Amino acid sequence: MYQTDFFKAKNNSLTCKIQGVQIHSAYNPENEAERYVKSLSKPLFNPKYILLIEPALAYTLPFLEKNFPESKILSIRFSNDFREYDNKFFKTFYFSLNDSKTFENKLTSFFGEDGLLFTNFITWEPTQKVFSEESKILWDILKKEINLSQQILNTKAFFAKRWIKNSIIFIKNIKKIAKIQKGSSDVIICASGDSLRDSVEKLKIIRKKIFLIAVSSSLKLLLENNIEPDLVISTDGGFWAKMHLKKLLKYKDIPLALSTESNILRKTFENTAILPLHYSDGFGSNLLMKFSIPFIEAERNGTVSGTAEKLALSISSGNVYFIGLDLFPGKAKQHSDPNELEIFNSMSDIKIKSKENRVTGSRFNSKSLKIYENWFSQQDLNITNRVYRLSNNYKYENKLGNIKDINFEELKIQEKAVLPIIKREFFNSQVHISYEELLRDQNFLQECFPIEWLTYTREAQEEKKGIRYQDLLDKADDFINSLKRI
């Protein structure tokens, strides 16, 4: 515990010491704060947020508000002794050494994916000396979160145009809609980890008692073992993702849960019933709303298994069991065989570029699996009390936090539960996209050109800002013309 002592300064304003260290001037804390704010270097961008790190009695606040009238002033607290000043700030976060994970979650919840990139950070130096350990760990967290925001921004910039094109293909080609009536049965989600193959025979025994969801990369293995899922899910917008769905051209009665951003062979739309997944953001989700296409709410996630988990929890009150959720590169490869990508990749295996070299490279390039492992491991108990990882005595290389690993012998299926029911109906909406309006749609511009948009909105000089905006419009005009040819 840190001892805080309050007393009156010479000018009769309140001041304080923490652990004997003078936090504000003992003579005139207002003048001290004004001088400090004037001494700060002017940021090179126009900040949306100013984040003050432990401002104590908040004497700097009015001077920062004067200097940054359009910015929201936030604070991070290390001490509970200044709570009565929290309402002066737009938002206050509390940080402690033993609760850093909760703090990270609150940061993410408030700032979203890119808010920290619009933030100017200011420290009140006397408090940083007292809370030196807290400050060090806090800055490590902030740096990590900023780096993550930059990575997300770069990913968006790389894929954004592809996602938008996929969304237009989706809207123009969807013919059959799948709808789900909620049930109470257990749900099994098949991912494509190495352990899936070991569970196939056990899965066959209980198949009719559960609702089965297959992530797209597990579909081929299931079908070649005569196991038809009730639903397939695909959320990947990448070029190769559609190869996992080739089997649906033959198995036309299996419905497909699909985000508008997903990549899919256009022929699939001709016979396959689509369960549209609606995210809380994005161009494609806006199109679903605009053209009144029925959908089910979904959560955007780095891994399709994460989206599948939330979908399963929403369509049934029963437990959710993952099979093949290894999230660790297997001894041979990341996915179980047979796998559409493995078949395609194997065509290029030659002596000087062998299968062994390719698979080994894949195993050592599996950082994304660690990210997904961390995501599953950090879920709250109110979610994981219904989620399990199921296998045929498979020896996993990892643990997934509160998600319990169980064997088929421990599985207790709800015998009399009601399975979710999928209904199919034809969709015959007249879709007309006004491409001219897109050039004036700031949400579209931000999504399509995230780096250019960030650079434009951060620009502090009006003349340069106008130039950046015109450059953005020119790029958008070229891209919109390409959309008209889809």
Side-chain angles (χ1 to χ4, degrees):
M1 292 291 293
Y2 293 88
Q3 177 66 40
T4 304
D5 299 307
F6 298 94
F7 57 96
K8 290 294 182 71
K10 293 292 185 181
N11 70 341
N12 212 36
S13 295
L14 189 65
T15 187
C16 67
K17 290 182 178 182
I18 302 179
Q19 298 295 98
V21 177
Q22 190 75 44
I23 300 302
H24 297 286
S25 171
Y27 296 91
N28 192 320
E30 290 89 353
N31 285 350
E32 177 193 40
E34 184 177 16
R35 287 195 304 271
Y36 182 70
V37 171
K38 285 181 179 179
S39 73
L40 296 173
S41 299
K42 187 176 181 179
L44 299 176
F45 64 98
N46 187 28
K48 182 178 180 180
Y49 305 107
I50 303 290
L51 186 54
L52 269 170
I53 299 178
E54 190 46 91
L57 293 168
Y59 283 114
T60 56
L61 181 58
F63 305 108
L64 288 170
E65 289 175 332
K66 181 180 178 180
N67 284 11
F68 301 97
E70 297 180 0
S71 302
K72 295 178 173 65
I73 313 294
L74 320 171
S75 68
I76 294 179
R77 294 287 195 190
F78 298 133
S79 171
N80 292 317
D81 293 333
F82 306 103
R83 282 192 177 273
E84 62 183 283
Y85 300 92
D86 288 354
N87 60 5
K88 294 178 179 292
F89 295 93
F90 183 82
K91 173 75 175 178
T92 296
F93 303 91
Y94 277 83
F95 176 82
S96 65
L97 294 174
N98 59 3
D99 200 19
S100 59
K101 180 51 63 179
T102 299
F103 172 79
E104 287 183 45
N105 293 338
K106 289 179 179 179
L107 273 187
T108 302
S109 177
F110 179 82
F111 286 103
E113 293 179 342
D114 60 6
L116 286 173
L117 301 179
F118 293 88
T119 303
N120 189 37
F121 302 90
I122 297 175
T123 61
W124 183 240
E125 292 182 357
T127 57
Q128 307 310 295
K129 295 175 182 177
V130 175
F131 300 98
S132 58
E133 187 177 359
E134 288 86 346
S135 295
K136 181 183 181 302
I137 295 176
L138 170 65
W139 278 109
D140 287 342
I141 290 173
L142 290 174
K143 288 175 184 176
K144 184 184 78 171
E145 292 297 314
I146 291 170
N147 287 336
L148 180 59
S149 292
Q150 291 172 333
Q151 291 172 24
I152 292 172
L153 183 70
N154 291 332
T155 300
K156 281 184 173 181
F158 186 82
F159 286 109
K161 298 180 187 64
R162 179 70 261 174
W163 291 338
I164 288 173
K165 287 182 178 180
N166 288 347
S167 295
I168 291 178
I169 291 171
F170 181 102
I171 295 298
K172 285 188 171 183
N173 289 276
I174 188 169
K175 293 180 174 63
K176 284 184 178 180
I177 297 288
K179 295 182 177 180
I180 293 187
Q181 181 176 311
K182 186 174 181 178
S184 59
S185 70
D186 295 319
V187 179
I188 287 182
I189 301 171
C190 285
S192 60
D194 201 42
S195 65
L196 175 59
R197 172 169 291 282
D198 294 340
S199 298
V200 165
E201 295 305 317
K202 296 285 187 179
L203 178 59
K204 287 180 179 180
I205 297 172
I206 61 171
R207 170 65 190 94
K208 293 183 179 180
K209 300 177 182 178
I210 50 91
F211 188 89
L212 181 61
I213 299 176
V215 305
S216 56
S217 54
S218 70
L219 179 60
K220 186 176 180 66
L221 172 61
L222 293 175
L223 292 177
E224 294 199 1
N225 282 277
N226 298 314
I227 301 174
E228 286 194 28
D230 295 297
L231 183 69
V232 178
I233 181 170
S234 179
T235 59
D236 192 342
F239 177 78
W240 301 111
K242 60 188 177 186
M243 296 188 66
H244 289 306
L245 301 172
K246 282 175 61 178
K247 283 285 187 181
L248 292 181
L249 297 177
K250 179 180 178 182
Y251 292 83
K252 300 174 182 179
D253 292 332
I254 302 176
L256 172 62
L258 197 69
S259 71
T260 61
E261 301 163 359
S262 304
N263 203 338
I264 180 175
L265 295 167
R266 296 196 195 192
K267 289 183 179 179
T268 311
F269 287 108
E270 294 177 6
N271 295 290
T272 298
I274 305 296
L275 175 66
L277 301 177
H278 179 268
Y279 297 141
S280 61
D281 63 342
F283 176 73
S285 290
N286 292 339
L287 291 180
L288 290 176
M289 299 284 288
K290 181 175 182 178
F291 296 111
S292 302
I293 298 175
F295 57 76
I296 188 168
E297 294 291 350
E299 183 175 303
R300 188 188 300 278
N301 198 286
T303 168
V304 62
S305 294
T307 302
E309 178 197 68
K310 297 302 173 65
L311 175 64
L313 290 168
S314 72
I315 64 173
S316 182
S317 58
N319 291 329
V320 174
Y321 299 92
F322 275 103
I323 301 178
L325 190 67
D326 303 0
L327 299 179
F328 193 88
K331 295 179 181 179
K333 56 187 72 68
Q334 291 189 34
H335 297 296
S336 54
D337 272 343
N339 183 278
E340 291 289 354
L341 289 187
E342 173 63 20
I343 293 172
F344 181 85
N345 288 334
S346 66
M347 295 178 184
S348 62
D349 289 339
I350 55 178
K351 281 189 176 181
I352 61 173
K353 189 180 178 183
S354 66
K355 175 178 179 179
E356 182 179 357
N357 289 338
R358 171 171 55 79
V359 169
T360 301
S362 174
R363 289 185 62 211
F364 285 101
N365 260 313
S366 56
K367 291 182 180 179
S368 59
L369 293 180
K370 189 64 180 178
I371 294 173
Y372 304 153
E373 177 190 328
N374 289 339
W375 184 85
F376 278 101
S377 298
Q378 292 168 10
Q379 292 186 104
D380 295 334
L381 275 170
N382 63 338
I383 294 175
T384 57
N385 62 6
R386 286 177 57 198
V387 180
Y388 301 83
R389 188 163 60 167
L390 177 64
S391 75
N392 186 21
N393 295 296
Y394 189 81
K395 303 298 182 184
Y396 294 109
E397 298 284 348
N398 53 21
K399 296 290 183 182
L400 298 183
N402 293 319
I403 295 178
K404 186 179 179 182
D405 294 336
I406 65 170
N407 298 317
F408 276 89
E409 290 74 15
E410 303 172 78
L411 181 64
K412 296 180 180 179
I413 293 293
Q414 302 180 66
E415 299 285 347
K416 298 182 180 180
V418 177
L419 294 168
I421 298 173
I422 296 182
K423 298 180 179 180
R424 300 163 177 80
E425 61 183 47
F426 285 98
F427 176 74
N428 191 25
S429 175
Q430 298 298 316
V431 173
H432 174 71
I433 298 173
S434 177
Y435 295 102
E436 291 71 22
E437 290 181 6
L438 294 180
L439 202 59
R440 301 187 295 272
D441 186 340
Q442 292 197 340
N443 290 327
F444 172 80
L445 295 176
Q446 181 178 0
E447 182 174 347
C448 192
F449 299 96
I451 293 178
E452 291 87 345
W453 181 265
L454 180 139
T455 305
Y456 154 67
T457 52
R458 278 169 47 111
E459 180 57 63
Q461 298 182 26
E462 286 302 319
E463 184 178 351
K464 288 185 178 180
K465 193 167 188 174
I467 294 172
R468 293 189 187 281
Y469 188 66
Q470 188 56 52
D471 179 58
L472 174 60
L473 291 180
D474 291 342
K475 290 182 177 180
D477 190 44
D478 289 341
F479 177 61
I480 289 170
N481 285 330
S482 73
L483 295 179
K484 296 176 182 178
R485 298 190 290 271
I486 293 178

